[in-house]
Amino acid sequence: MKNVHNGNRHQKDGAKVQHFWKTTGRLLTYLKPWKWGVIISILVAIASVVFQVMAPKVLGEATTVIYNGVLKGASEMKLGMHLSKYPIDFTKIGQIVIAVLVMYALSGLFSFVQQVMMTRISQRVVYQLRQDFKSKMSRLPVSFYDTHPNGDIMSRMVNDMDNISGTLQNGMIQIITSALTFVGVLALMISISWKLTLVALITVPLSLVIIGFVAPTAQRLFGRQQAVLGKINAQVEETYAGHTIVRTFNREADQEAQFEEKNTAYYQAAWKAQFFSILMYPAMAFVRNLGYLMVAVVGALQVVHGQITLGNVQAFLQYTNQFSQPITQIASLASTIQQTIASAERIFEVLDQDEMDTDLADQTVLPGPQPKVEFKDVNFSYDDQPLIQDFNLKAEQNHMVAIVGPTGAGKTTIINLLERFYDVKGGHIYLDGRDTRSFTRPELRKKIAMVLQDTWLFTGTIYDNIKYGREDATEEEVYAVAKQAHADTFIRQLPNGYQTVLDESASNISQGQRQLLTIARAFLADPEVLILDEATSSVDTRTEEAIQDAMNDIQKGRTSFVVAHRLSTIRSAEQIIVMNHGQIIETGDHDSLMAKGGFYADLYNSQFAGNQI
């Protein structure tokens, strides 16, 4: 339930990490139940890299055998010997080829096994994170939801979880394999020729310069692109949600101009971000080819002078191609990991929020006859500014208590305190003489049903939406409460009646019809206390009168609280509480308050004079 105080909260930049190592360590603790799986995945990944790195050197031996055979044949032909074929050891070549195929096959197999294991582990980790997140959300106070946008919470649950899943699945092992590939390739290059290795290393500083410039620039531009995209999405959502208002005030051109401005900014940010992102690959390819060229020239000269075999040069050239790849991968992963840790930090921020107080107050019941509900010396504030002070109210059994007053007077706050969406800062609220804080929240809310001005219906049949009030209700009870709420007639006129499926926002029925369904749902709950917070604001006057008749029936044996702006609907209330600035300024029934000629009388008369309340 959103309240009038609607606090603003500074949202951290999702791409900026506040506590990198602390958050990283905490995220890694989620891997602990599967630590042996992670260790085995790392070992299997290492084996895959070893076979992948070793294969070119072994394959180079085949080139050397062929080259030596050709040289030997050419020498024999110069001596006048007749050759039917070159003296090449194809048996050995076959053995080498088979060995290389086995190496590549084992490397692919180990890589597949590693991917399968880490996919399962990462999904289990994110599954547990989502479970913890969802469980935490059920333990957070309503104040958290009032001060955090729904979209932000959903983003943490979906997008941030996906970021973590992807990095755990690929990034974590890839860092290890990239580092190992770099070390392994470098070691084998040195074992072949330290001179050629020095030639290849000339390109490393150039690679680091490119990565150090392009990667951060691309990341910054992508961040700007996402920020502008967020503004576009916000405008589109706002404009479509209020398209009727936009057209009513002829502001289409203004909205189009605003969209054009944001769309242009997005275009500018997007093409620059994509340019620098794409620039990485041709730039690194140029450096790789430059290194390849230098190694090829120097290697050819060494072959001519007999300082190295042709097969080793071939292997070295393959390693030269592989040499810069791990550097690029690690640079790319650095940005990805930072974004992932930022996502984890956003999730842990929610997990670390203060939870609802679950300590129960003394369950002692006050002696003697007690009203159904009593507010006694209640104090409350959403922030440091006092809202309700020394509030006292008694609501008897079988009575309707109406709460009226101007906007911001504290009417809805009284309902929030009764439902324990918020707890009082001082004083007590009693239900049948027992402090409401001595009930668990589920126990308390079983005794109370509420209908809000803002309707909430889920995607499903009308029948299931009504039955949501009490799952063990029979069909006859569902139909009966629908008739009580004057919803049965319009339901049966729908093509599928009670089996009509409501869409995501229940937009296939009118606002007033949605409100009738929520009233029927509250009736079905059969509560001890019934709360209607502007519940009939979306229905027509005739239907409202019929609902009031139904309310009179269902009120028997119950206490009801009605928050209303339309004062004609509460004339029959046994007690009307007039509030202003968190204080009761008048109390009584309709006739006595009108006779007093005070604040209530002014409100009532101004409404019938055609003014807004």
Side-chain angles (χ1 to χ4, degrees):
M1 174 191 290
K2 297 291 181 187
N3 295 301
V4 293
H5 69 292
N6 280 338
N8 292 324
R9 177 181 172 274
H10 174 67
Q11 297 296 326
K12 294 188 298 183
D13 182 355
K16 186 176 181 181
V17 182
Q18 302 294 320
H19 306 286
F20 182 87
W21 293 111
K22 179 181 178 181
T23 304
T24 301
R26 185 172 178 181
L27 180 60
L28 291 178
T29 59
Y30 274 84
L31 289 168
K32 191 173 181 180
W34 301 280
K35 61 182 179 181
W36 288 112
V38 174
I39 292 172
I40 292 173
S41 293
I42 292 173
L43 294 176
V44 170
I46 291 172
S48 175
V49 170
V50 168
F51 285 119
Q52 182 77 22
V53 170
M54 288 295 298
K57 188 172 184 179
V58 176
L59 185 60
E61 295 178 9
T63 303
T64 300
V65 171
I66 295 172
Y67 180 70
N68 289 338
V70 171
L71 288 180
K72 184 178 179 181
S75 298
E76 290 177 352
M77 290 176 66
K78 284 183 179 181
L79 295 175
M81 297 175 64
H82 176 71
L83 295 177
S84 59
K85 62 179 181 179
Y86 282 97
I88 299 174
D89 189 350
F90 287 101
T91 301
K92 187 174 183 179
I93 292 173
Q95 293 172 347
I96 292 172
V97 171
I98 291 173
V100 170
L101 289 175
V102 170
M103 285 183 175
Y104 281 132
L106 289 175
S107 176
L109 177 63
F110 286 144
S111 178
F112 173 75
V113 171
Q114 174 265 318
Q115 284 287 339
V116 170
M117 293 182 67
M118 283 309 300
T119 297
R120 181 171 178 80
I121 291 171
S122 66
Q123 292 303 319
R124 292 296 300 177
V125 168
V126 174
Y127 172 84
Q128 187 60 51
L129 263 177
R130 281 200 176 101
Q131 288 287 95
D132 292 349
F133 194 94
K134 181 64 175 68
S135 177
K136 180 72 177 187
M137 295 304 292
S138 66
R139 301 193 301 272
L140 289 175
V142 172
S143 58
F144 175 85
Y145 295 93
D146 284 345
T147 54
H148 289 73
N150 294 338
D152 178 65
I153 297 173
M154 293 173 63
S155 177
R156 296 177 196 235
M157 173 65 94
V158 180
N159 297 337
D160 290 326
M161 292 288 184
D162 286 343
N163 285 344
I164 293 172
S165 175
T167 300
L168 289 179
Q169 182 173 325
N170 299 312
M172 188 176 70
I173 298 296
Q174 195 173 41
I175 289 178
I176 297 172
T177 56
S178 295
L180 186 63
T181 299
F182 179 81
V183 173
V185 167
L186 182 61
L188 287 171
M189 288 169 68
I190 293 173
S191 71
I192 293 173
S193 171
W194 65 269
K195 293 180 181 179
L196 287 179
T197 301
L198 289 178
V199 174
L201 287 175
I202 293 174
T203 61
V204 171
L206 186 56
S207 298
L208 296 178
V209 169
I210 293 173
I211 292 170
F213 171 70
V214 175
T217 303
Q219 181 182 353
R220 184 177 65 255
L221 290 171
F222 272 119
R224 187 186 305 169
Q225 174 187 335
Q226 290 303 110
V228 178
L229 180 60
K231 294 179 181 178
I232 290 178
N233 289 337
Q235 185 194 351
V236 170
E237 181 181 0
E238 184 179 76
T239 303
Y240 285 155
H243 68 92
T244 303
I245 302 299
V246 172
R247 293 182 178 182
T248 299
F249 290 94
N250 295 319
R251 299 303 294 269
E252 293 95 334
D254 180 61
Q255 290 294 326
E256 289 175 5
Q258 291 183 32
F259 181 82
E260 175 67 22
E261 180 182 352
K262 292 183 176 66
N263 199 28
T264 300
Y266 179 76
Y267 164 74
Q268 294 293 338
W271 83 259
K272 291 176 182 177
Q274 294 296 335
F275 173 79
F276 278 95
S277 176
I278 296 171
L279 182 63
M280 173 77 76
Y281 296 98
M284 291 303 295
F286 171 77
V287 172
R288 184 169 61 249
N289 291 332
L290 182 63
Y292 190 90
L293 176 62
M294 290 188 296
V295 168
V297 172
V298 176
L301 292 174
Q302 287 186 331
V303 171
V304 170
H305 291 89
Q307 296 174 347
I308 191 172
T309 65
L310 182 61
N312 279 340
V313 172
Q314 175 204 320
F316 202 97
L317 288 172
Q318 287 184 266
Y319 289 135
T320 302
N321 273 334
Q322 295 179 11
F323 186 61
S324 61
Q325 183 179 354
I327 301 175
T328 307
Q329 288 177 338
I330 292 174
S332 176
L333 284 170
S335 173
T336 301
I337 288 172
Q338 183 171 352
Q339 293 174 7
T340 300
I341 299 305
S343 292
E345 195 169 69
R346 280 164 49 79
I347 292 170
F348 293 143
E349 181 185 4
V350 174
L351 296 180
D352 292 337
Q353 291 288 326
D354 293 333
E355 299 181 3
M356 292 183 291
D357 181 13
T358 56
D359 294 335
L360 299 181
D362 186 1
Q363 299 185 14
T364 302
V365 178
L366 298 178
Q370 296 295 325
K372 185 67 178 179
V373 177
E374 180 180 8
F375 288 74
K376 188 172 183 181
D377 301 325
V378 169
N379 295 309
F380 178 76
S381 64
Y382 289 112
D383 44 38
D384 295 333
Q385 185 69 29
L387 177 61
I388 293 177
Q389 294 179 293
D390 300 323
F391 183 86
N392 292 277
L393 169 65
K394 291 184 179 180
E396 300 293 342
Q397 178 78 14
N398 197 30
H399 275 200
M400 176 195 293
V401 177
I403 306 174
V404 301
T407 299
K411 304 184 297 298
T412 299
T413 299
I414 296 300
I415 304 305
N416 288 342
L417 295 176
L418 180 58
E419 282 269 14
R420 284 198 70 193
F421 292 145
Y422 291 84
D423 279 328
V424 298
K425 301 293 179 67
H428 302 272
I429 301 176
Y430 295 101
L431 179 65
D432 292 325
R434 178 179 166 185
D435 195 319
T436 55
R437 287 174 293 180
S438 69
F439 295 92
T440 65
R441 287 177 176 81
E443 287 175 344
L444 177 65
R445 290 167 189 167
K446 282 183 179 179
K447 301 175 182 292
I448 303 172
M450 183 164 62
V451 181
L452 301 175
Q453 181 178 6
D454 297 327
T455 59
W456 179 82
L457 297 168
F458 57 83
T459 301
T461 66
I462 288 177
Y463 179 88
D464 289 337
N465 270 278
I466 297 176
K467 196 175 180 181
Y468 194 79
R470 182 159 53 88
E471 285 299 314
D472 61 351
T474 64
E475 286 189 29
E476 290 73 19
E477 288 174 319
V478 171
Y479 300 147
V481 296
K483 290 178 181 177
Q484 272 188 302
H486 298 267
D488 182 75
T489 301
F490 90 80
I491 293 173
R492 294 188 183 278
Q493 290 174 349
L494 295 172
N496 296 313
Y498 282 84
Q499 297 307 311
T500 299
V501 176
L502 302 179
D503 58 26
E504 184 178 1
S505 57
S507 59
N508 48 341
I509 58 176
S510 72
Q511 174 65 28
Q513 290 170 335
R514 292 198 292 270
Q515 193 68 277
L516 293 177
L517 295 183
T518 62
I519 293 171
R521 183 172 61 194
F523 285 0
L524 186 64
D526 194 22
E528 297 179 20
V529 178
L530 185 64
I531 298 172
L532 290 97
D533 188 355
E534 300 289 350
T536 58
S537 61
S538 299
V539 299
D540 60 85
T541 304
R542 183 176 179 181
T543 303
E544 185 175 44
E545 292 175 354
I547 291 175
Q548 287 302 129
D549 292 338
M551 283 292 301
N552 293 334
D553 293 336
I554 197 172
Q555 182 183 304
K556 294 176 181 177
R558 296 178 177 83
T559 299
S560 59
F561 288 82
V562 180
V563 176
H565 278 165
R566 200 179 294 175
L567 302 185
S568 59
T569 64
I570 56 159
R571 294 183 57 173
S572 62
E574 284 80 6
Q575 187 177 12
I576 299 175
I577 305 298
V578 185
M579 295 186 65
N580 197 16
H581 303 300
Q583 299 287 330
I584 294 179
I585 58 174
E586 291 179 351
T587 183
D589 59 17
H590 173 78
D591 293 335
S592 65
L593 290 174
M594 290 297 294
K596 189 183 295 184
F599 194 84
Y600 176 82
D602 289 342
L603 288 175
Y604 189 87
N605 291 329
S606 65
Q607 181 172 6
F608 283 91
N611 298 325
Q612 293 291 334
I613 294 178

